[in-house]
């Protein structure tokens, strides 16, 4: 079993990878199935049923928008969020939906045809949805259940119940240096005298050639940077959704740039990284385009830490050298993210926030260590520290919106990641808790967390904070 780097880093839209990107992708898949079965032309009506966490936090996480946009044929990686929202608004007004992929215009009343089953969970996964298509007599032409398993990845019922769980994985024989856990990754590196990023690079060539791999990595960084810059320069005062949360990134960044002297100047780098992380996640909260890293809720951590490398530490380097840092960082981070996807989960509905911010912190710590010249053992140690101090973190977004505590958590995740890399590099890589042990601990802790702390907005801050 193996993941591509680009199954860890997916380009999509905010605010949630599991609740926005995943459902949009599921709707795209449903359209493809209608076409493959030759029934697309007969469809007169479609209906979507959302279950469990998708229903409980679906409105705050824009799942309703995502399903309609996906049925219209909008694809997460290519969609222009502004245009997609206009198209979805038209569906709400006209109660007519032009199915994508060359499909017909069908009846679709979001009030009746988008059903939120808040008290029901499908057995296979907390993020379940059912899509149905009917003919003019109301007979079912096609239906399928889909599960948004985290980070924008989606499996249908057949795939989630088959082993292995991840239909998108490439056969291990196609990958040059397979590994199932961190210990095997380190052993492969040692056996073949490779660094972690070099090994991940070699494996990625099972998916596409060197040039395409490099271009895709740089595109990921380009989308990350665009979200960062949009967030830093936004002129909007408030985030959408009704909590009246102010956008802070532009002011934070301006103050960090102007900071001088003992009281503020000493914190300049820290405040800049914080502004970067918050900028990306304010964009995510606004439904903008971001990269899942490994999820949307945690999309700001890696751009903030990699931005620290490219914009602060190495701002004077030439483009070729910067690209070397960027690719090494992203390859290393993705390699660590794969371990969490494979041996635990990056779904907050399964793991709580430790599976989002905790994993992104771990990935960023490893990426930073790699570009700072750490040994493989130190990189593994950095990733381990990055998770160890996020264990048990619950998911409790107030109002079901990916805003509070989510946005600040990205800043905290980025800070911890930098500290984790520094701590790891201050030692020789020897440490008591292995990365594999901490991933297994995260998995067990996630299983033990009550469901009210796993992306349902029924516990934690979501339950104790009153807002109007
Ligand atoms: S609390 Fe954490 S896991 Fe939950 S939505 Fe916010 S960022 Fe995601």
């Amino acid at each position: 079993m193996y993941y591509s780097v680009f199954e860890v880093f997916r380009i999509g839209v905010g605010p949630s990878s599991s609740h926005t990107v995943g459902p949009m992708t599921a709707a795209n898949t449903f359209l493809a199935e209608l076409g493959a079965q030759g029934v697309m032309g007969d469809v007169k009506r479609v209906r979507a049923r959302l279950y469990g966490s998708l229903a409980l936090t679906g409105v705050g996480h824009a799942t309703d928008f995502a399903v309609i946009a996906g049925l219209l044929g909008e694809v997460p990686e290519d969609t222009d969020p502004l245009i997609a929202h206009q198209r979805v608004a038209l569906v709400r007004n006209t109660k007519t939906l032009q199915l994508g992929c060359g499909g017909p215009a069908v009846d679709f009343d979001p009030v009746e045809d988008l059903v939120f089953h808040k008290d029901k969970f499908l057995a296979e996964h907390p993020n379940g949805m059912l899509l149905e298509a009917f003919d003019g007599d109301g007979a079912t032409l096609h239906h399928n259940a889909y599960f948004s398993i985290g980070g924008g990845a989606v499996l249908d019922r057949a795939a989630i119940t088959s082993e292995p769980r991840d239909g998108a994985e490439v056969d291990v024989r196609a990958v040059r240096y397979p590994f199932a856990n961190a210990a095997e990754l380190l052993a492969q590196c040692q056996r073949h005298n490779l660094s972690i990023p070099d090994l991940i690079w070699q494996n990625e060539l099972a998916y596409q050639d060197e040039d395409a791999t490099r271009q895709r990595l740089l595109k990921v960084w380009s989308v990350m940077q665009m979200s960062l810059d949009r967030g830093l320069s936004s002129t909007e005062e408030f985030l959408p959704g009704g909590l009246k949360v102010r956008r802070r990134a532009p002011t934070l960044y301006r103050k960090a740039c102007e900071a001088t002297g003992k009281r503020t100047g000493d914190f300049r780098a820290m405040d800049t990284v914080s502004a970067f992380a918050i900028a990306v996640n304010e964009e995510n909260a606004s439904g903008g385009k971001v990269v899942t890293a490994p999820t949307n809720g945690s999309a700001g951590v890696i751009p903030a830490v990699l931005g620290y490398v490219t914009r602060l530490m190495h701002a004077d380097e030439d483009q070729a050298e910067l690209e070397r840092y960027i690719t090494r960082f992203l390859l290393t981070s993705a390699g660590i993210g794969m371990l969490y996807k494979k041996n635990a989960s990056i779904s907050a509905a399964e793991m709580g926030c430790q599976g989002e911010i905790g994993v992104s912190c771990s990935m960023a710590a490893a990426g930073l260590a790699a570009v700072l010249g750490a040994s493989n053992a130190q990189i593994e140690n950095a990733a381990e520290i990055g998770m160890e101090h996020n264990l048990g973190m619950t998911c409790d977004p107030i109002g079901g919106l990916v805003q509070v505590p989510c946005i600040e958590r990205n800043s905290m995740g980025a800070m911890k990641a930098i500290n984790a890399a520094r701590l790891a590099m201050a030692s020789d890589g020897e440490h008591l808790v292995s990365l594999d042990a901490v991933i297994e601990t995260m998995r067990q802790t996630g299983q033990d967390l009550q469901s009210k702390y796993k992306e349902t907005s029924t516990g934690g801050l979501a339950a104790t904070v009153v807002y109007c």
Side-chain angles (χ1 to χ4, degrees):
M1 290 198 295
Y2 194 79
Y3 292 96
S4 161
V5 166
F6 304 104
E7 288 171 69
V8 179
F9 295 125
R10 293 172 195 261
I11 296 168
V13 288
S16 169
S17 44
S18 57
H19 285 54
T20 318
V21 179
M24 195 184 288
T25 302
N28 298 157
T29 306
F30 185 65
L31 290 180
E33 290 169 0
L34 290 174
Q37 295 188 10
V39 296
M40 177 71 96
D42 301 325
V43 179
K44 291 285 183 283
R45 187 177 162 211
V46 291
R47 184 166 58 203
R49 297 181 181 277
L50 306 170
Y51 295 90
S53 173
L54 282 188
L56 285 161
T57 57
V59 173
H61 286 41
T63 309
D64 46 350
F65 153 77
V67 172
I68 298 171
L71 289 171
L72 287 165
E74 296 285 344
V75 177
E77 179 159 352
D78 303 326
T79 193
D80 178 330
L82 207 62
I83 292 172
H85 276 280
Q86 288 170 352
R87 295 186 70 201
V88 169
L90 195 63
V91 172
R92 292 187 195 279
N93 288 337
T94 61
K95 298 183 175 45
T96 302
L97 190 156
Q98 179 79 46
L99 290 175
C101 301
V106 301
D107 295 336
F108 188 86
D109 181 352
V111 176
E112 289 181 9
D113 297 319
L114 203 48
V115 189
F116 291 79
H117 295 281
K118 293 187 177 179
D119 53 350
K120 279 193 202 156
F121 282 74
L122 297 183
E124 294 87 343
H125 193 279
N127 288 332
M129 60 188 283
L130 187 68
L131 290 170
E132 303 161 290
F134 306 97
D135 68 12
D137 298 324
T140 304
L141 290 167
H142 178 57
H143 67 98
N144 203 354
Y146 305 90
F147 302 90
S148 185
I149 62 168
V154 171
L155 299 176
D156 72 1
R157 179 162 273 146
I160 203 168
T161 50
S162 67
E163 288 294 334
R165 177 169 123 159
D166 306 282
E169 289 169 355
V170 144
D171 188 320
V172 280
R173 286 165 296 183
V175 177
R176 198 158 173 194
Y177 304 112
F179 57 88
N181 52 42
E184 288 184 20
L185 170 61
L186 289 175
Q188 285 279 43
C189 288
Q190 187 166 20
R191 193 173 302 129
H192 300 285
N193 196 25
L194 289 168
S195 68
I196 289 175
D198 288 341
L199 182 142
I200 302 296
W201 169 266
Q202 290 292 331
N203 281 355
E204 193 58 30
L205 301 182
Y207 294 81
Q208 65 270 302
D209 65 22
E210 288 196 4
D211 193 46
T213 302
R214 188 173 293 104
Q215 292 310 320
R216 288 187 79 182
L217 285 167
L218 294 176
K219 183 175 178 190
V220 162
W221 177 233
S222 162
V223 175
M224 285 180 173
Q225 289 213 92
M226 284 193 279
S227 61
L228 197 161
D229 287 328
R230 278 198 315 273
L232 292 179
S233 60
S234 173
T235 54
E236 290 164 10
E237 192 173 1
F238 295 104
L239 294 171
L243 284 184
K244 288 252 175 233
V245 174
R246 282 182 196 278
R247 276 185 180 255
R248 287 179 292 172
T251 306
L252 285 170
Y253 185 55
R254 181 177 50 74
K255 286 186 173 172
C257 292
E258 292 169 354
T260 53
K262 260 275 173 255
R263 288 174 68 102
T264 54
D266 288 353
F267 300 103
R268 191 169 174 181
M270 191 174 148
D271 292 347
T272 305
V273 172
S274 189
F276 287 171
I278 287 174
V280 174
N281 262 76
E282 287 179 346
E283 273 305 288
N284 178 61
S286 302
K289 199 155 221 176
V290 297
V291 177
T292 65
T295 65
N296 278 32
S298 59
V301 175
I302 285 175
V305 180
L306 185 47
Y308 174 62
V309 173
T310 60
R311 298 186 181 198
L312 274 82
M313 291 174 63
H314 296 287
D316 299 331
E317 302 275 7
D318 64 29
Q319 190 59 25
E321 193 61 12
L322 283 179
E323 287 184 3
R324 206 177 72 81
Y325 289 129
I326 292 160
T327 52
R328 286 185 78 73
F329 191 113
L330 293 178
L331 288 164
T332 308
S333 299
I336 300 302
M338 291 171 199
L339 297 172
Y340 286 97
K341 275 175 76 83
K342 176 166 169 46
N343 295 317
S345 167
I346 57 166
S347 166
E350 290 185 288
M351 295 289 120
C353 199
Q354 54 173 0
E356 291 204 18
I357 294 292
V359 174
S360 65
C361 176
S362 179
M363 292 167 63
L368 179 60
V371 298
L372 291 176
S375 67
N376 289 334
Q378 288 170 320
I379 292 172
E380 185 259 5
N381 191 10
E384 182 276 315
I385 297 170
M387 172 52 74
E388 187 178 320
H389 307 288
N390 283 298
L391 286 172
M393 190 155 61
T394 58
C395 169
D396 51 358
I398 296 174
L401 296 163
V402 192
Q403 298 182 6
V404 183
C406 318
I407 294 169
E408 278 180 6
R409 278 205 182 151
N410 281 264
S411 164
M412 304 307 286
M415 294 302 152
K416 277 191 193 176
I418 294 170
N419 197 20
R422 297 299 297 149
L423 283 173
M425 293 187 71
S427 82
D428 59 4
E430 280 284 317
H431 54 287
L432 187 66
V433 181
S434 69
L435 177 55
D436 286 327
V438 90
I439 292 173
E440 175 57 16
T441 307
M442 184 196 88
R443 191 188 67 76
Q444 291 182 18
T445 306
Q447 278 188 337
D448 289 343
L449 278 179
Q450 293 179 33
S451 80
K452 66 181 181 179
Y453 299 120
K454 295 193 279 191
E455 211 167 14
T456 56
S457 281
T458 55
L461 289 172
T464 53
V465 175
V466 180
Y467 66 97
C468 317

